[in-house]
Amino acid sequence: MSHEKLHRFQIALLIFNTQTGVVLFILPRTVATYFGTNGWIALIFMFLPITLNILLITSVYRLGRGASIFAILKSGIPRFLLFPIYLVMGSGLAMVGCLVIKQYVMIYQLLIFPQTPDIVLKLVVDIIVFLLVTKGIYNISKANVFFVALLITMVPLSFIFMKDFDITRMSSFFFKEGKDFGQGFIKVYGSFMGYELSLFLFPYAEKGKKWLKYIHLGNSMTVLVYLLVTVICYGFFNYKELVHLSFPLLDMFGYLYFPFVERVQNFLYSLFLVSILITGGMYYWSSQAVFTELIPRLPWKWALFFVMASTFIVAFIPKSLIEVEDWFNVLIYLQLGVAIVIPLLALLALLIQKGRKRHA
């Protein structure tokens, strides 16, 4: 294993870019649908449970003294119990990576290549993701620094919309005309998923505990970007319009005009491919890590190939963006399971291990 370690700031940027993806284009509509007027405030409330969840994950690292999540789990839990857990977890992580890419290319097809089958576009992106992931987590993190720098250049564009921002569109009411707050909470919480993959970074992070704070930093960056986009969308349109817009951020980009670029929204959406490469890549990398642990003799690059090939076949099933969103609605619960149940199982394994040592 390489002695190189992930720098704490690289980890923050990995968390940020893994969380941020196509969901950014959909989030204002989701918030408006479920939380109604000034629903963007729900994003602030969401910060607390996510922070607590991250603290749960970091406590596993502290108590496990830097051991990998797999070493911690097998230290106290029998392998026959871990086998089905790993099988479900590895398959679910792979499907999240698959659907992230599928969702992106389906929108890309609608915008730019309506005559090209979306599965062909997905194959192209899958090949790029495969080549990226086979370079290893250290090179993924280095590439991600450049990708994030590229995406940050889009932030100043938000100030262009301020001239059309009308605070009266925000309404003086809070959470009026929202529906099913419980389901809304789950969907918005799912928009922040990605931080749970920090569980798989334990062996690769620099020694010490300082890097754990940078998981919070990455998540905080995501919260700020989500708030910026959602607040501007609320003031640029209004919550009633947002409910009926499939991709509010893309529609807002459509109002931009530069003499040297036609259809600015297409160009900016194309730029977001670099975020999808990291999000999809990190989920596939995590999935192969699980299957490599499940089948130790299987080389990790072959595990990655089999995982991506299997999910590529499954990607033929959903035929529309609505179906993809429905699949995501199911996978959110699996992601929550990885984020909450796996750390709890790890803490249980540490307690069992400690009990064994006490009675030895």
Side-chain angles (χ1 to χ4, degrees):
M1 182 182 290
S2 172
H3 294 291
E4 187 177 7
K5 294 294 183 181
L6 295 176
H7 189 272
R8 64 195 76 166
F9 193 65
Q10 288 178 318
I11 290 174
L13 295 183
L14 265 180
I15 297 300
F16 164 68
N17 212 8
T18 302
Q19 288 178 303
T20 312
V22 176
V23 68
L24 192 61
F25 296 89
I26 300 170
L27 186 61
R29 184 237 302 169
T30 303
V31 169
T33 299
Y34 289 98
F35 296 100
T37 55
N38 285 307
W40 56 271
I41 296 174
L43 299 175
I44 299 174
F45 293 148
M46 209 64 65
F47 187 72
L48 177 60
I50 293 170
T51 300
L52 292 174
N53 197 171
I54 293 174
L55 287 173
L56 176 64
I57 291 171
T58 56
S59 67
V60 174
Y61 179 85
R62 294 174 189 273
L63 294 173
R65 298 180 180 180
S68 76
I69 188 66
F70 302 118
I72 292 171
L73 287 169
K74 71 182 179 182
S75 69
I77 298 176
R79 183 170 176 80
F80 76 89
L81 290 177
L82 289 176
F83 187 89
I85 293 172
Y86 285 170
L87 190 61
V88 172
M89 180 167 63
S91 302
L93 291 171
M95 280 309 305
V96 173
C98 170
L99 291 178
V100 162
I101 297 170
K102 175 81 173 179
Q103 188 179 38
Y104 177 83
V105 300
M106 290 185 84
I107 299 172
Y108 197 76
Q109 178 202 36
L110 288 172
L111 290 174
I112 302 172
F113 295 114
Q115 303 303 318
T116 305
D118 62 86
I119 204 69
V120 173
L121 297 174
K122 186 179 186 307
L123 177 61
V124 173
V125 178
D126 274 4
I127 291 172
I128 299 172
V129 169
F130 179 79
L131 294 174
L132 175 65
V133 178
T134 53
K135 297 299 181 183
I137 189 63
Y138 304 112
N139 288 312
I140 292 173
S141 67
K142 290 172 185 176
N144 182 61
V145 173
F146 171 74
F147 291 165
V148 172
L150 198 62
L151 291 172
I152 286 176
T153 60
M154 298 172 65
V155 173
L157 291 176
S158 60
F159 296 104
I160 297 175
F161 299 108
M162 295 310 294
K163 61 183 177 65
D164 295 307
F165 183 92
D166 188 350
I167 199 168
T168 59
R169 296 191 184 109
M170 306 285 282
S171 165
S172 58
F173 298 100
F174 296 91
F175 300 152
K176 187 178 180 181
E177 298 186 31
K179 64 174 186 179
D180 199 348
F181 282 13
Q183 182 65 23
F185 176 88
I186 295 296
K187 288 182 74 71
V188 174
Y189 198 105
S191 302
F192 289 91
M193 299 311 294
Y195 64 85
E196 77 279 8
L197 300 187
S198 59
L199 282 165
F200 304 100
L201 298 178
F202 288 179
Y204 305 95
E206 58 188 23
K207 290 183 179 179
K209 302 173 183 177
K210 291 183 179 179
W211 73 272
L212 298 174
K213 298 177 182 178
Y214 285 74
I215 302 175
H216 293 282
L217 175 61
N219 181 63
S220 299
M221 292 170 65
T222 302
V223 171
L224 290 174
V225 169
Y226 281 0
L227 276 173
L228 177 66
V229 168
T230 308
V231 169
I232 290 177
C233 282
Y234 261 82
F236 190 86
F237 302 106
N238 60 62
Y239 80 96
K240 289 186 177 179
E241 286 184 273
L242 288 176
V243 170
H244 300 289
L245 294 175
S246 297
F247 312 108
L249 185 58
L250 274 179
D251 290 309
M252 197 164 66
F253 282 159
Y255 286 88
L256 288 176
Y257 171 77
F258 295 113
F260 50 88
V261 180
E262 289 188 12
R263 299 186 66 82
V264 176
Q265 70 270 38
N266 292 1
F267 170 75
L268 294 176
Y269 187 75
S270 299
L271 191 62
F272 249 82
L273 174 62
V274 297
S275 180
I276 301 305
L277 295 178
I278 295 299
T279 304
M282 283 301 295
Y283 275 99
Y284 275 125
W285 176 81
S286 301
S287 175
Q288 67 75 27
V290 175
F291 281 109
T292 303
E293 179 67 23
L294 196 61
I295 313 171
R297 293 185 179 181
L298 181 64
W300 75 270
K301 290 184 180 180
W302 277 106
L304 175 66
F305 175 79
F306 288 132
V307 163
M308 294 193 69
S310 300
T311 55
F312 181 79
I313 294 170
V314 177
F316 280 89
I317 299 175
K319 302 295 184 183
S320 68
L321 283 166
I322 293 175
E323 287 182 74
V324 171
E325 281 199 42
D326 289 340
W327 283 38
F328 268 126
N329 291 339
V330 175
L331 286 171
I332 284 174
Y333 294 98
L334 185 136
Q335 289 176 280
L336 287 171
V338 174
I340 299 171
V341 177
I342 297 300
L344 289 175
L345 276 177
L347 292 176
L348 176 62
L350 289 169
L351 285 174
I352 294 172
Q353 181 188 28
K354 187 177 181 181
R356 286 173 181 167
K357 289 180 179 179
R358 185 176 299 171
H359 290 92

